Amino acid sequence: EAQVTQNPRYLITVTGKKLTVTCSQNMNHEYMSWYRQDPGLGLRQIYYSMNVEVTDKGDVPEGYKVSRKEKRNFPLILESPSPNQTSLYFCASGTGLSYGYTFGSGTRLTVV
Amino acid sequence: QKEVEQDPGPLSVPEGAIVSLNCTYSNSAFQYFMWYRQYSRKGPELLMYTYSSGNKEDGRFTAQVDKSSKYISLFIRDSQPSDSATYLCAMRGDNNDMRFGAGTRLTVKP
């Protein structure tokens, strides 16, 4: 089944404790992206990657890091999480200039 | 002003009603327009897409784009309880910089 897999689905952590949210796609998509979704603000792009070893900042990159060492994986790293990073995070992938993206099921992160 | 504006609702309609969901935008470079449906505790899934102006129909769903007014719509005919979800509009220009609306929460009551 073609899909984008995120892990974990739910995570509660403490301020300052480094964490990684994994994202993997099995569709051989070049393009991958991370979004956060907050009430009233919709989906905001954090980082995106056009291909392996090519990453760029989205609209809200502060406090996040990414890497794209393999085509299928695009982990999101929070080096020192803070409470304002409490949110619902989605990974998405697509082919080049595809009309739409395939989204993962989301990771609900709470930073206390 | 946000680049994409979408009324967050919530919108509640009886089963069988026609639903109209709308977004306005400010960037005239947008050419590709999409609607996503997001069920609770799920990721958004692509529902419909259109290029430039015009209408597109798929079963009970019709997407309309009016580029002159910078206005897009999604109509749902004969709405069903299973249509209850949050609907997000999305759009982009000639790159992968996709912009999303905040989403409209729809409830269809039996």
Side-chain angles (χ1 to χ4, degrees), chain A residues 51-104:
Chain A
N51 215 323
V52 176
E53 302 292 2
V54 180
T55 63
D56 212 342
K57 296 178 180 178
D59 296 316
V60 288
E62 295 76 22
Y64 304 95
K65 284 176 59 177
V66 294
S67 68
R68 187 92 181 271
K69 294 184 171 58
E70 304 166 283
K71 198 171 188 179
R72 61 184 292 125
N73 295 323
F74 191 45
L76 179 70
I77 303 156
L78 284 73
E79 295 268 359
S80 182
S82 62
N84 65 11
Q85 292 178 299
T86 292
S87 186
L88 180 58
Y89 291 87
F90 288 102
C91 180
S93 72
T95 56
L97 293 177
S98 55
Y99 274 108
Y101 304 148
T102 302
F103 281 82

Side-chain angles (χ1 to χ4, degrees), chain B residues 3-4 25-31 33 70 91 93 97 99:
Chain B
E3 212 165 5
V4 180
Y25 63 94
S26 57
N27 189 342
S28 57
F30 290 147
Q31 298 183 60
F33 303 92
K70 296 190 177 66
M91 50 200 77
D97 187 13
R99 299 291 169 171

Side-chain angles (χ1 to χ4, degrees), chain B residues 86-99:
Chain B
T86 296
Y87 290 80
L88 301 107
C89 62
M91 50 200 77
R92 65 169 178 83
D94 281 330
N95 55 34
N96 263 315
D97 187 13
M98 194 171 299
R99 299 291 169 171

Side-chain angles (χ1 to χ4, degrees), chain A residues 6-8 11 19-23 34 74-78 89 107 109:
Chain A
Q6 291 179 233
N7 279 298
L11 180 59
L19 67 92
T20 299
V21 183
T22 63
C23 174
W34 276 102
F74 191 45
L76 179 70
I77 303 156
L78 284 73
Y89 291 87
T107 296
L109 172 65

